[in-house]
Amino acid sequence: MVTNNKVLLTNLILVMFLGSLLLTGCNSFPTNASSSSDTLSDTQIEPVSTNTSSKEMTDNLPRLEGMAKVELTVNGSPVILEINGVDAPITAGNFVDLVQKGVYDGLVFHRVIKSPQPFVAQGGDPQGKDPNFPVSRLGTGGYVDESGSKRLIPLEIKLEGDSEPTYSKGLGQQAGVSSPNVALKHERGALAMARSAPPDSASSQFYIALADLEFLDGDYAVFGKVVQGMDVVNGINQGDRIESAKVIEGTENLQ
């Protein structure tokens, strides 16, 4: 009975986290299990039309045709990320392109959840470039290009055995599938994109899983993993900054 109650409590906590992730947009992960009030309004979200084909959605976005590695420096120590353009070419290409543009240099980890159980470390809001911008207000920003337009990328999920990813559609719990057979899973150290409720609303914000989070599989796009420095990731606290981000392998694979 004690074991069953413990399982039920864990499942309840995870459901509360997931609900907050959906409700708070790119400010996806609250500092606790309570709901957040800083949701994105419809005017802040510009989802790709569901009538747009995958090819039309992705034609003008960077692609990573292969693998790459990115080094983040956090608290003076390196974190090496393996970026998977084989199974998530658009999501991976977007991240590598933003790293090369220097977008992540100096940005804040504005949501770090370690209790009541390890969850995520989330960062990548460009508003955090301003040292005077309050960390408590971060979580609604995304990458804005030279034309003044916010770059949005489609939800990209590849199932094992599929030759191409599925775009703009959740394939996990949001679609009623409890254990989707995804190619890239939310295992501890997984690198994935934060987004708001519309599937095509990710931009620059990302998170690193601090534990296995299989209940997110199929609904949020994993595009890489930590291959070195997970101890550094575990030591990240809310307000810590990415001192630098650079591509150390695979730049030739960015198209």
Side-chain angles (χ1 to χ4, degrees):
M1 181 65 70
V2 173
T3 301
N4 288 340
N5 287 341
K6 194 175 293 184
V7 170
L8 288 173
L9 178 60
T10 298
N11 288 340
L12 177 60
I13 291 170
L14 292 179
V15 168
M16 292 172 72
F17 276 139
L18 178 58
S20 296
L21 185 149
L22 285 169
L23 291 173
T24 58
C26 287
N27 192 9
S28 302
F29 306 105
T31 54
N32 54 47
S34 63
S35 61
S36 172
S37 61
D38 49 354
T39 58
L40 291 178
S41 69
D42 290 341
T43 57
Q44 291 174 298
I45 300 171
E46 306 166 36
V48 177
S49 169
T50 54
N51 295 322
T52 305
S53 70
S54 297
K55 186 175 186 307
E56 290 173 320
M57 282 190 296
T58 59
D59 265 352
N60 296 320
L61 292 172
R63 296 180 65 93
L64 186 68
E65 300 289 353
M67 305 294 285
K69 284 187 178 177
V70 166
E71 180 183 272
L72 304 182
T73 301
V74 183
N75 293 326
S77 298
V79 177
I80 307 300
L81 306 172
E82 181 181 77
I83 312 301
N84 190 327
V86 175
D87 295 314
I90 298 301
T91 313
N94 174 69
F95 185 78
V96 170
D97 180 61
L98 295 183
V99 169
Q100 288 194 320
K101 291 180 185 298
V103 170
Y104 293 115
D105 294 345
L107 295 193
V108 176
F109 284 96
H110 61 275
R111 288 291 183 271
V112 180
I113 300 176
K114 298 181 182 181
S115 63
Q117 57 191 41
F119 193 50
V120 300
Q122 180 184 342
D125 184 341
Q127 296 174 114
K129 191 81 77 171
D130 179 357
N132 297 317
F133 196 96
V135 173
S136 61
R137 289 176 53 198
L138 292 173
T140 59
Y143 171 66
V144 176
D145 64 22
E146 295 79 5
S147 70
S149 299
K150 186 175 180 179
R151 179 195 287 177
L152 297 173
I153 62 172
L155 177 61
E156 181 179 49
I157 305 292
K158 186 177 180 182
L159 297 178
E160 289 186 357
D162 286 358
S163 59
E164 298 290 335
T166 296
Y167 291 95
S168 305
K169 181 172 141 181
L171 301 176
Q173 289 191 8
Q174 293 174 26
V177 181
S178 58
S179 298
N181 195 23
V182 295
L184 299 176
K185 304 180 188 302
H186 276 84
E187 298 173 341
R188 179 174 175 269
L191 176 67
M193 291 301 290
R195 65 173 177 84
S196 56
D200 299 333
S201 54
S203 182
S204 61
Q205 291 188 48
F206 67 90
Y207 59 91
I208 300 173
L210 302 180
D212 292 348
L213 305 173
E214 61 274 5
F215 73 103
L216 297 180
D217 284 348
D219 291 320
Y220 295 84
V222 175
F223 62 97
K225 62 183 179 181
V226 176
V227 293
Q228 181 183 327
M230 194 62 200
D231 57 329
V232 179
V233 174
N234 288 334
I236 292 173
N237 293 310
Q238 184 170 310
D240 287 348
R241 291 184 180 272
I242 300 170
E243 294 156 28
S244 65
K246 60 183 179 180
V247 184
I248 57 174
E249 288 183 23
T251 53
E252 69 280 2
N253 293 329
L254 184 64
Q255 307 297 320

